[in-house]
């Protein structure tokens, strides 16, 4: 500003350029944060898929009659895992991920849902996945508790 209170054209131009640079940095930062959240979400669901694959492989490797419980997390949002033949497919937020389980051929198709507990067992040479049913047990004083 000069002595009379007017703003010079260079000063207005400099403020405009600073505003443009600040807006572009804000947009860039926002897109980087969104990409990071998306990568974290993908990795989290990929780890869930790997955990399910490992449990099924352990049950298959340990032989007849072996079983293991699997509890899918509920704090990672809603997702579904489809188990068919030798592959696992996870579906979440309109996205899909796939994992292969080598040396395994499952006859039936199973759908696993987040937040539920499953019993994976090997019976008669086949992998069987059952949803774990919760039982209600009553005590002598009419109190009850859940058994998983």
């Amino acid at each position: 500003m000069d002595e009379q209170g007017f703003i010079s054209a260079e000063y207005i131009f400099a403020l405009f350029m600073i505003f443009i640079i600040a807006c572009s940095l804000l947009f860039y930062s926002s897109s980087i944060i969104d990409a990071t959240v998306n990568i974290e979400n993908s990795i989290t669901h990929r780890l869930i898929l790997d955990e399910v694959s490992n449990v099924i492989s352990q049950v298959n490797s340990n032989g007849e009659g072996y079983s293991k419980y699997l509890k899918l997390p509920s704090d990672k949002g809603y997702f579904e895992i489809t188990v068919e033949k030798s592959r696992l497919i996870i579906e979440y937020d309109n996205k899909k991920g796939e994992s292969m389980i080598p040396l395994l051929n499952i006859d039936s198709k199973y759908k696993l849902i987040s937040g539920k507990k499953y019993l994976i067992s090997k019976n008669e040479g086949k992998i069987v996945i059952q949803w774990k049913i919760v039982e209600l047990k009553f005590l002598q004083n009419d109190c009850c508790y859940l058994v998983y």
Side-chain angles (χ1 to χ4, degrees), residues 109-123:
K109 182 176 179 180
Y110 299 100
K111 189 165 285 253
L112 311 178
I113 299 172
S114 59
K116 301 211 184 273
K117 191 172 186 178
Y118 296 92
L119 175 66
I120 302 174
S121 58
K122 186 169 185 178
N123 297 325

Side-chain angles (χ1 to χ4, degrees), residues 133-148:
I133 299 173
V134 176
E135 297 177 24
L136 196 57
K137 297 280 185 174
F138 289 94
L139 300 175
Q140 294 172 348
N141 56 359
D142 292 331
C143 291
C144 61
Y145 65 95
L146 297 176
V147 177
Y148 290 95

Side-chain angles (χ1 to χ4, degrees), residues 11-137:
Y11 183 70
I12 292 175
F13 182 71
L15 283 177
F16 179 71
M17 291 305 292
I18 289 173
F19 178 73
I20 295 290
I21 291 171
C23 286
S24 64
L25 285 176
L26 184 64
F27 175 74
Y28 179 72
S29 299
S30 173
S31 64
I32 292 294
I33 290 171
D34 288 343
T36 304
V37 169
N38 191 19
I39 290 171
E40 178 186 4
N41 197 11
S42 296
I43 289 173
T44 300
H45 287 89
R46 178 65 185 171
L47 289 174
I48 292 170
L49 199 61
D50 285 344
E51 179 185 352
V52 173
S53 176
N54 285 337
V55 170
I56 292 174
S57 293
Q58 286 175 8
V59 169
N60 189 42
S61 298
N62 282 315
E64 192 70 31
Y66 185 79
S67 63
K68 196 164 186 178
Y69 285 104
L70 172 69
K71 172 122 175 61
L72 296 177
S74 59
D75 60 340
K76 309 296 183 202
Y78 180 80
F79 59 88
E80 291 181 357
I81 298 176
T82 305
V83 181
E84 61 179 331
K85 301 203 180 203
S86 63
R87 64 186 186 142
L88 301 171
I89 302 167
I90 188 168
E91 297 178 37
Y92 64 98
D93 298 334
N94 294 325
K95 297 177 187 174
K96 276 188 175 182
E98 186 173 323
S99 177
M100 301 300 285
I101 306 174
L103 305 174
L104 183 68
N105 191 4
I106 298 176
D107 293 337
S108 300
K109 182 176 179 180
Y110 299 100
K111 189 165 285 253
L112 311 178
I113 299 172
S114 59
K116 301 211 184 273
K117 191 172 186 178
Y118 296 92
L119 175 66
I120 302 174
S121 58
K122 186 169 185 178
N123 297 325
E124 299 174 6
K126 296 180 181 178
I127 298 292
V128 178
I129 301 175
Q130 300 170 335
W131 178 49
K132 183 63 180 156
I133 299 173
V134 176
E135 297 177 24
L136 196 57
K137 297 280 185 174

